[in-house]
Amino acid sequence: MKIDLTETTSSQINQALVSARRAIGTPAIGMVLTLVIVTDEENAYDALKSAGDASREHPSRIIAVIKRVSRSPRARRDARLDAEVRVGSDAGTGETVVLRLHGELANHAQSVVLPLLLPDAPVVVWWPEDAPADPAKDPLGALAQRRITDSYSAEAPLDELAVRAAAYSPGDTDLAWTRITPWRSMLAAALDQQPATVIGATVEGESDNPSCELLAMWLADRLGVPVERTLSAGPGLTAVRLETKNGVIVLDRADGSLATLSMQGQPDRAVALKRRETAELLAEELRRLDPDNTYESAVKFGVEKLHAGGEVTAEPVDGKSAEGERKAPAKKAPAKKAAAK
């Protein structure tokens, strides 16, 4: 069921939600959180589709905030709110409210969104693109327990990681980090199967891919060993090699879907490691509402340490020097980067 509202108010939108639920015979609210999407017209369809798919696992009230930029100075001074309310099969397993803010109202989105939040339920804000430099201090971000950004959508992804590290607040996360969850799980499981001291690592993937950089920073931070960042034609992250005293552990994914895990003394194993859709990434992030301390530690490690041309290592665990420590080369020159794309 869809209801279009022109030149409306938050109060009228709430009344429309109640009327729509009664009309389809579901007056009770069975949603677990409010997901606020801050986007534009160009990306709204894809973002709403991903959020709707994720809501099948996490029934939510989805509020899409679209700020309409007016062309003329007079129109920019006029404030108007248009809304579209979707309930039932048109809104996944929850409710969807699409807000279009015109004129001055676009600068006060929080005043429109606040009355529409579910009472006594967590709030998550997601910026599919163009995230603010400091999400926690953004007027909408300040309403949320969790704030989701995506460094991959930025014009300069590696610079974006530095911005995320500098402005990190508990509750911040990044879909570039979520993309490497299966890789981190597989590498941790491999070390459990073959316990050995790791003395170095290599992360291979596309240039300027924030997920590759985050995985390299995570390894350097957690293992306290030098990590080399090398380039490939992709797609995305293609291989990780861990050098241990018992041999090399290799997790190689050349085609973007099926990976091969190789360990000393064991047969090679095929591992499903496909590149996931945005809906799956979003659903994973909605499963936790507490701060992600592992992400905080990894992003604050500093992407510049991976490309400084010197030692690339965190403070070794237990204060001991990392064995077999070696120099990690700087990232390849721009000309070679272009050839690798």
Side-chain angles (χ1 to χ4, degrees), residues 13-338:
I13 294 171
N14 268 319
Q15 292 175 11
L17 285 167
V18 173
S19 299
R21 285 198 302 270
R22 289 175 176 169
I24 63 174
T26 56
I29 298 177
M31 291 162 285
V32 297
L33 59 87
T34 303
L35 174 62
V36 180
I37 307 172
V38 187
T39 185
D40 53 25
E41 290 287 2
E42 180 182 357
N43 298 282
Y45 175 82
D46 291 335
L48 283 168
K49 185 177 185 304
S50 296
D53 291 342
S55 75
R56 301 186 188 283
E57 181 177 336
H58 309 277
S60 313
R61 173 174 289 178
I62 300 168
I63 302 175
V65 179
I66 302 173
K67 299 178 181 181
R68 300 292 297 270
V69 179
S70 302
R71 296 182 179 180
S72 67
R74 178 178 297 177
R76 284 195 291 270
R77 288 194 298 268
D78 294 335
R80 191 178 90 239
L81 173 63
D82 297 333
E84 181 182 330
V85 174
R86 306 176 188 174
V87 177
S89 60
D90 294 313
T93 57
E95 301 171 341
T96 299
V97 179
V98 181
L99 303 174
R100 289 181 171 85
L101 283 64
H102 302 258
E104 268 311 305
L105 193 59
N107 297 323
H108 304 280
Q110 73 280 5
S111 64
V112 179
V113 170
L114 185 59
L116 301 176
L117 302 179
L118 290 174
D120 302 320
V123 179
V124 179
V125 178
W126 172 35
W127 292 268
E129 68 292 310
D130 297 329
D134 191 341
K137 292 183 179 179
D138 180 83
L140 285 173
L143 301 176
Q145 285 76 40
R146 290 278 280 174
R147 295 164 294 276
I148 304 173
T149 58
D150 191 354
S151 298
Y152 191 79
S153 66
E155 290 187 13
L158 303 194
D159 293 341
E160 188 73 6
L161 287 180
V163 173
R164 295 288 147 248
Y168 177 84
S169 292
D172 290 356
T173 192
D174 195 314
L175 292 186
W177 171 254
T178 318
R179 290 183 179 95
I180 61 173
T181 299
W183 287 83
R184 294 190 295 120
S185 299
M186 287 302 307
L187 293 170
L191 289 175
D192 284 342
Q193 295 176 39
Q194 185 172 308
T197 302
V198 179
I199 58 177
T202 302
V203 175
E204 177 186 282
E206 291 176 318
S207 97
D208 295 331
N209 186 306
S211 295
C212 300
E213 312 298 332
L214 281 168
L215 183 59
M217 290 190 287
W218 173 70
L219 289 170
D221 179 50
R222 304 302 291 180
L223 298 176
V225 300
V227 177
E228 181 181 353
R229 172 73 170 93
T230 60
L231 302 180
S232 71
L237 182 59
T238 53
V240 177
R241 298 174 180 82
L242 301 179
E243 299 175 27
T244 75
K245 289 186 173 182
N246 296 343
V248 181
I249 298 174
V250 180
L251 184 59
D252 188 292
R253 185 191 68 179
D255 62 357
S257 60
L258 191 66
T260 301
L261 178 63
S262 305
M263 293 190 290
Q264 188 74 23
Q266 297 188 24
D268 292 351
R269 281 173 284 180
V271 179
L273 208 62
K274 70 171 185 175
R275 305 187 74 192
R276 297 182 294 168
E277 299 293 331
T278 303
E280 295 178 69
L281 303 176
L282 190 60
E284 178 183 326
E285 284 300 335
L286 295 179
R287 289 180 201 132
R288 63 176 302 165
L289 296 172
D290 57 317
D292 190 339
N293 297 325
T294 307
Y295 164 70
E296 176 188 3
S297 182
V299 76
K300 285 185 176 180
F301 178 79
V303 70
E304 69 281 354
K305 295 180 184 178
L306 299 177
H307 311 132
E311 292 183 353
V312 183
T313 178
E315 191 67 28
V317 179
D318 298 329
K320 299 178 181 178
S321 299
E323 299 184 56
E325 193 170 279
R326 58 185 170 80
K327 302 286 186 179
K331 205 169 185 178
K332 296 182 181 180
K336 294 184 180 179
K337 285 186 189 176

